[in-house]
Amino acid sequence: MQPTTAQCDILRAAAAFSAVERYSGTMPKRQALHFDKTQLAALEDAGFLERVKLSFPCGKDVEGWRLTPPGRLILAENAADDTLEPEHLRILSDVYHYSRLSQNRGMMPKELAKTFDADDVRDLFVHGYLLRIALKGSVKAKGWVVSNKGLSALRRASGPAGVVASAVACAARN
């Protein structure tokens, strides 16, 4: 079975919870309420998700769904198909490098991001490649940072060429 886009969204949500220790890798039932029950049932019937109930010694119970190995495999196949456009990769790269500068306090300032196409930045934000950040305290600032999903997209896009470029840069420093 090839999952639909709505089902892929459910699989991505379940994968996001796989790293959360508090839920032991389980997408809680209350989080799954955002998705269609028939889609969840179809993924469960196909073997991409499994229903889980965890009981803890303190009396707490967590019910939900966990991603199965076939679900991880289908998610990895779909992730390989999700390649970004060159202009999106350029924006991600620029945000990453601007956020590495100490004068920018670990983010790309909002003013600098205005040079990019607003629709492209919004698309990257909506799809989870960029995160908004606001500093509050003695210094107030707003800007953008690259999420883990954006970093992995940059790594995939650089491929072997990125490895060669970093090796050349290391050799040039020595």
Side-chain angles (χ1 to χ4, degrees):
M1 170 188 153
Q2 188 64 25
T4 64
T5 55
Q7 290 172 338
C8 285
D9 290 341
I10 295 170
L11 290 175
R12 281 189 210 102
F17 278 96
S18 67
V20 180
E21 278 187 46
R22 183 170 124 190
Y23 297 121
S24 300
T26 302
M27 180 174 63
K29 194 175 186 179
R30 68 178 176 273
Q31 297 297 328
L33 292 175
H34 298 288
F35 303 110
D36 186 18
K37 291 179 183 180
T38 58
Q39 301 288 350
L40 279 167
L43 288 170
E44 194 175 340
D45 291 341
F48 297 141
L49 290 177
E50 62 185 355
R51 188 178 289 260
V52 176
K53 181 177 180 182
L54 300 171
S55 298
F56 297 95
C58 64
K60 177 184 169 188
D61 291 334
V62 174
E63 291 184 46
W65 286 266
R66 184 181 292 171
L67 202 59
T68 62
R72 281 188 182 74
L73 183 64
I74 207 78
L75 196 58
E77 289 173 4
N78 288 341
D81 295 340
D82 295 340
T83 56
L84 292 174
E85 298 294 323
E87 59 269 10
H88 289 139
L89 290 171
R90 185 180 63 81
I91 292 170
L92 283 176
S93 178
D94 287 351
V95 170
Y96 174 76
H97 290 292
Y98 273 109
S99 67
R100 302 294 293 170
L101 298 174
S102 60
Q103 70 184 13
N104 293 334
R105 296 179 177 84
M107 66 178 173
M108 179 180 209
K110 189 176 178 181
E111 298 79 35
L112 290 175
K114 289 181 181 178
T115 61
F116 301 123
D117 183 26
D119 289 336
D120 288 340
V121 173
R122 184 175 33 78
D123 286 344
L124 289 170
F125 174 67
V126 167
H127 290 98
Y129 293 99
L130 287 179
L131 302 172
R132 277 187 230 165
I133 185 169
L135 299 178
K136 296 178 181 177
S138 62
V139 176
K140 295 184 185 211
K142 292 183 179 180
W144 299 95
V145 293
V146 179
S147 68
N148 288 338
K149 182 178 180 180
L151 288 174
S152 65
L154 282 172
R155 279 189 216 109
R156 277 194 314 269
S158 66
V163 173
V164 171
S166 64
V168 169
C170 286
R173 278 185 263 167
N174 294 331

